[in-house]
Amino acid sequence: MSNTKARQGQPSEIELNRRAFRKSRKQKSTLVAVLSTIGFAIVAWLSLVNTPGWDRVQQSFFDYDTAVKALPHVLDGLLLNLRVLFFSAIGVLVFGLALALLRTLRAPIFTPIRLLVRGYVDLFRGLPLIIVLYLVGFGIPGLRLEFLGRIPAEVLGTTALILTYSAYVAEVFRAGIEAVHPSQRLAARSLGLTYAQSMRLVVLPQAFRKVAPPLMNDFVSLQKDVGLISVLGAVDAVRGAQIEVAHFANFTPYVIAGLLFVLLAIPTVRLADYVTGRLAKREQAGGVL
Amino acid sequence: MSELGPMILNVKGLHKSFEDKDVLKGIDLELYRGQIVALIGSSGSGKSTLLRCVNLLEEISDGQIFLNDEDISEPTINQDEVRRQIGLVFQAYNLFAHLSIEENITLALRHVKGLSTAEAKAKALALLDRIGLADKADEYPDKLSGGQQQRTAIMRAVALEPTLLLLDEVTSALDPELVGEVLELIRDLKAGGTSILMATHELTFARDVADWVVFLDGGVIIEEGPAKEFFGNPQNPRTIEFLQRLRRRAGDA
Ligand SMILES: Nc1ncnc2c1ncn2[C@@H]1O[C@H](COP(=O)(O)OP(=O)(O)O)[C@@H](O)[C@H]1O
Ligand SMILES: [Mg+2]
């Protein structure tokens, strides 16, 4: 009797009891989690403020007045970071994809190109970004190419970021292209689609989906690394903060700049988690034959 | 025997080796318009390789392949052009996973045949209607059963009105209860005049529907003949053994 009821959407008494039990158990564990988090935060806070140097650290790193005064300048700098981020990201996607595609060409005449691309990827994955920044930032102007004129530091910085990140992204794309089931390519070719059409219409759209999560992680790294262009003298958020630090003889502007970068990263990080989760779910559900 | 139509496919002395492994060692095969030729043989005998050579997905090592009297094994031939005339469907993963059922069919219609979006859509829906899947047009492949996927894949090839349709064990990856609907579609296609070269393990189907049966073993044709004679009175001991083995397995299932 109770069984029939359950099937019609009317849970049986046993099931209702079970649900009540689960609910109260869940409430209890939430409560424990909240309490322990608060308790931990209090302990951490107390032990921090009771360290002998806390007052001095607070003054030089978390000074409210300095923060307010430095914020506009740091924000100005952040706009430059965002601009560099925008152009770098586009450049990296285009150049990285081009590298990956060149590496998939199998015909013998492309062998030199493939080797060249491989050398490039190996080189720039190994080189620390800061060195690339120095080499590009001071090397290119050092060539004294008159027709280029004086190149702004942010352009040089953007170039260095594109050079380095393209090497990573090319590998990500290549892995994505290779992860597309070979039958998909065969099916495309057997329908009479050309190599280029198969790539554009069948392989790449599937590869993009597969690489969205690692690509977003690289984007998060790029978001942070745009701060490194300050070593070339571009007045970005980091450099802006540095100037304010010197001005106020106080480190708070660095903290401000740091917080701004974190705020910038949070949406991307969340989005990356969301996309990854969704893809994983699709993958699990997707029973192909 | 009824009157033979024009010869669609003529394979002469086809050899195919990978590195130093000879997979096909001199295959001769003829297929006339409207026929179904069934390729049978144990796994690894070279059936898939043969089909892929015919579709120019593999470069052949020796011999010639004629499609409608044109030598398509000539290196100067436009391979994409040839593949447009030959449909190929294999065991699994045929459908493009990122496209809906309808888009799977319209893709090549638009980009290969140059149909407008509207024309392609109309044609796709008509074909889907023929296999009773019109209401699934907007679904993605992973929402369909294996049988529905394979029928869609076959219709996607048929949509291009190929001169020749190649089927590579299209029912082998299916649950047994889904095999029938796919075989039924192949039977319909034959009734409609499509020329088909198919690798298959479905002996009953081959006996009933194929015009000619070819038994491949170790890269050579051991025995071939009209379906009734081939199955009714096989001559070669290896053919007999193979048929017995396959029937025993089918009996178990
Ligand atoms: N790309 C390849 N490289 C090397 N060997 C291959 C390749 N494709 C197929 N073979 C070999 O060719 C033989 C025939 O394979 P296949 O044509 O797939 O047989 P079947 O479809 O009849 O099972 C097998 O031994 C297989 O290992
Ligand atoms: Mg095979």
Side-chain angles (χ1 to χ4, degrees):
Chain A
M1 194 59 215
S2 61
N3 257 343
T4 356
K5 269 189 188 166
R7 253 185 258 121
Q8 289 163 350
Q10 204 92 50
S12 70
E13 198 152 322
I14 299 174
E15 176 59 20
L16 284 175
N17 285 337
R18 276 200 292 249
R19 284 185 198 175
F21 175 74
R22 281 196 208 109
K23 199 170 157 195
S24 80
R25 191 172 52 182
K26 198 170 162 204
Q27 280 167 347
K28 260 184 232 152
S29 56
T30 310
L31 191 66
V32 170
V34 170
L35 286 180
S36 70
T37 307
I38 293 174
F40 181 78
I42 291 174
V43 171
W45 176 250
L46 285 180
S47 33
L48 184 64
V49 297
N50 283 322
T51 49
W54 171 244
D55 282 343
R56 278 191 23 229
V57 167
Q58 192 187 15
Q59 267 170 28
S60 38
F61 285 88
F62 302 99
D63 184 60
Y64 183 73
D65 289 339
T66 314
V68 172
K69 283 187 209 134
L71 187 61
H73 198 177
V74 178
L75 270 179
D76 262 1
L78 194 68
L79 283 181
L80 177 66
N81 288 122
L82 287 175
R83 222 163 47 227
V84 170
L85 178 63
F86 178 76
F87 289 111
S88 305
I90 292 177
V92 166
L93 282 180
V94 172
F95 192 42
L97 181 59
L99 289 173
L101 286 175
L102 288 176
R103 245 187 120 164
T104 61
L105 297 176
R106 283 278 154 262
I109 42 162
F110 296 120
T111 306
I113 295 181
R114 260 196 344 260
L115 288 178
L116 213 64
V117 171
R118 209 162 110 192
Y120 178 92
V121 170
D122 286 349
L123 181 69
F124 280 91
R125 282 211 305 174
L127 269 181
L129 174 57
I130 193 100
I131 293 192
V132 179
L133 276 164
Y134 283 135
L135 291 181
V136 172
F138 301 123
I140 291 186
L143 294 174
R144 300 191 194 285
L145 298 168
E146 298 295 339
F147 64 94
L148 283 177
R150 216 190 69 76
I151 311 167
E154 63 257 37
V155 173
L156 293 168
T158 306
T159 309
L161 286 167
I162 292 177
L163 287 176
T164 297
Y165 270 83
S166 296
Y168 289 102
V169 167
E171 284 302 280
V172 171
F173 275 134
R174 189 172 71 100
I177 289 170
E178 278 170 8
V180 174
H181 199 282
S183 294
Q184 298 277 301
R185 201 172 316 208
L186 280 187
R189 296 314 299 277
S190 72
L191 287 172
L193 293 169
T194 63
Y195 179 85
Q197 282 177 323
S198 309
M199 220 23 155
R200 182 166 58 85
L201 299 168
V202 174
V203 178
L204 286 182
Q206 294 187 46
F208 281 138
R209 270 156 232 238
K210 287 182 198 285
V211 301
L215 223 44
M216 284 172 129
N217 282 330
D218 282 342
F219 184 71
V220 173
S221 308
L222 182 63
Q223 270 183 339
K224 292 182 296 189
D225 283 350
V226 288
L228 287 175
I229 60 162
S230 56
V231 301
L232 300 182
V235 186
D236 73 329
V238 177
R239 183 91 178 103
Q242 200 175 26
I243 293 168
E244 296 296 312
V245 165
H247 183 235
F248 291 107
N250 187 299
F251 290 111
T252 307
Y254 280 146
V255 176
I256 296 297
L259 282 178
L260 288 176
F261 274 102
V262 172
L263 284 181
L264 204 62
I266 286 175
T268 326
V269 172
R270 285 285 150 273
L271 187 65
D273 285 352
Y274 171 75
V275 170
T276 311
R278 239 191 39 166
L279 283 177
K281 227 157 119 190
R282 256 202 80 120
E283 201 101 311
Q284 275 162 16
V288 190
L289 283 185
Chain B
M1 279 253 45
S2 58
E3 193 79 357
L4 288 179
M7 199 192 286
I8 296 288
L9 177 72
N10 187 5
V11 176
K12 287 182 174 172
L14 173 63
H15 282 258
K16 172 66 191 173
S17 38
F18 294 103
E19 273 101 57
D20 46 336
K21 185 158 130 213
D22 292 338
V23 173
L24 297 177
K25 306 164 190 166
I27 301 290
D28 296 290
L29 194 87
E30 294 170 359
L31 190 150
Y32 297 86
R33 179 181 293 160
Q35 279 192 330
I36 289 189
V37 172
L39 283 174
I40 62 173
S42 50
S43 172
S45 56
K47 304 182 295 295
S48 298
T49 305
L50 174 55
L51 294 175
R52 289 160 57 123
C53 284
V54 169
N55 204 19
L56 306 186
L57 289 167
E58 299 284 359
E59 193 174 295
I60 68 175
S61 310
D62 203 355
Q64 283 176 301
I65 305 172
F66 294 87
L67 185 72
N68 279 337
D69 292 330
E70 185 184 22
D71 184 353
I72 59 171
S73 47
E74 273 292 315
T76 52
I77 202 96
N78 180 341
Q79 301 200 339
D80 291 322
E81 194 58 52
V82 171
R83 289 196 199 100
R84 272 164 216 185
Q85 300 175 51
I86 304 178
L88 171 64
V89 182
F90 23 79
Q91 265 187 30
Y93 303 111
N94 283 288
L95 296 181
F96 302 133
H98 65 300
L99 297 179
S100 72
I101 298 308
E102 179 191 306
E103 289 163 341
N104 258 281
I105 299 181
T106 56
L107 185 79
L109 287 176
R110 286 169 50 214
H111 295 276
V112 174
K113 286 266 165 165
L115 263 57
S116 73
T117 312
E119 289 168 333
K121 189 184 163 86
K123 183 151 189 186
L125 284 177
L127 289 168
L128 285 173
D129 197 40
R130 247 177 81 188
I131 54 173
L133 291 179
D135 56 325
K136 305 269 190 209
D138 295 324
E139 297 280 8
Y140 283 82
D142 58 6
K143 290 279 183 299
L144 266 61
S145 76
Q148 292 172 332
Q149 290 184 33
Q150 288 301 64
R151 287 188 288 137
T152 306
I154 292 171
M155 282 327 240
R156 183 178 68 181
V158 168
L160 299 175
E161 290 157 17
T163 309
L164 173 65
L165 184 59
L166 307 174
L167 303 176
D168 191 358
E169 299 192 31
V170 288
T171 58
S172 292
L174 296 179
D175 288 336
E177 76 265 27
L178 301 177
V179 169
E181 63 191 59
V182 176
L183 296 182
E184 200 49 48
L185 173 60
I186 299 172
R187 208 187 289 259
D188 284 354
L189 291 178
K190 178 183 160 75
T194 310
S195 314
I196 300 174
L197 175 59
M198 64 186 295
T200 185
H201 288 307
E202 299 295 330
L203 298 188
T204 315
F205 180 78
R207 191 191 59 213
D208 294 348
V209 183
D211 299 275
W212 192 262
V213 179
V214 174
F215 173 53
L216 210 59
D217 195 20
V220 290
I221 295 178
I222 302 291
E223 185 167 356
E224 62 184 317
K228 303 276 173 316
E229 289 167 34
F230 181 93
F231 289 108
N233 190 15
Q235 300 298 314
N236 193 296
R238 272 151 85 182
T239 317
I240 295 167
E241 197 234 287
F242 172 77
L243 292 177
Q244 274 172 355
R245 194 149 40 94
L246 215 59
R247 287 207 178 98
R248 246 195 330 271
R249 207 164 2 140
D252 290 345

